[in-house]
Amino acid sequence: LDGVTGLAPTLMRKVLELEICSVQIHALQLGLFASFAAPFGGFLSSAIKRAYGIKDFNNLIPGHGGMMDRFDCQFVMFLCTFVHHRTFVHSPITVDALLASAAQLSATEQQEFLQRLSQLLLNKNVL
């Protein structure tokens, strides 16, 4: 019994020591959202079909509801993933962001960056 009671604090320390990347958090968010939202793609496509009085969106595979019916959930999740990416993940490249990244380089890396940037700008006739 003593070994079991000492297990909880050890397990808690291990859980708190986990390193989690932001991509893992975004994947978890999208996965949880998909488990709730993706079924509504089927409901949405059914509502559209009922409104227009059609049985299925395509007759490529007879009796299977059409190819579009196979992807209704994917279309909803594509839209949700796109909105999630543009809202929470995507960050445009700005001069300030480049300078902040360059400041984290070592002195030799900063010199190499400056030389390569100068060469790039010379090749494009900017300098």
Side-chain angles (χ1 to χ4, degrees):
L1 188 63
D2 290 333
V4 174
T5 57
L7 181 65
T10 305
L11 182 61
M12 196 61 178
R13 271 196 306 276
K14 293 291 185 187
V15 168
L16 294 175
E17 291 174 3
L18 287 176
E19 292 185 24
I20 299 174
C21 299
S22 63
V23 71
Q24 292 170 317
I25 293 171
H26 289 291
L28 181 63
Q29 289 172 341
L30 280 173
L32 288 172
F33 183 75
S35 66
F36 294 111
F40 290 101
F43 300 148
L44 178 65
S45 66
S46 294
I48 292 170
K49 288 188 295 186
R50 282 194 184 112
Y52 286 98
I54 55 178
K55 184 177 183 286
D56 47 302
F57 284 131
N58 195 356
N59 57 4
L60 187 62
I61 303 173
H64 286 276
M67 290 304 290
M68 292 298 290
D69 291 339
R70 303 287 128 209
F71 296 103
D72 50 10
C73 297
Q74 283 77 8
F75 290 136
V76 169
M77 282 313 301
F78 171 75
L79 176 65
C80 294
T81 303
F82 177 78
V83 170
H84 177 86
H85 181 268
R86 294 297 282 181
T87 305
F88 300 112
V89 180
H90 177 71
S91 60
I93 298 173
T94 62
V95 174
D96 290 335
L98 286 174
L99 289 175
S101 295
Q104 294 178 356
L105 298 173
S106 67
T108 56
E109 291 172 327
Q110 287 176 349
Q111 289 174 346
E112 180 185 352
F113 176 72
L114 184 59
Q115 289 171 351
R116 291 173 70 176
L117 180 61
S118 298
Q119 186 63 42
L120 176 71
L121 295 175
L122 285 172
N123 290 345
K124 290 188 171 197
N125 294 323
V126 176
L127 289 180

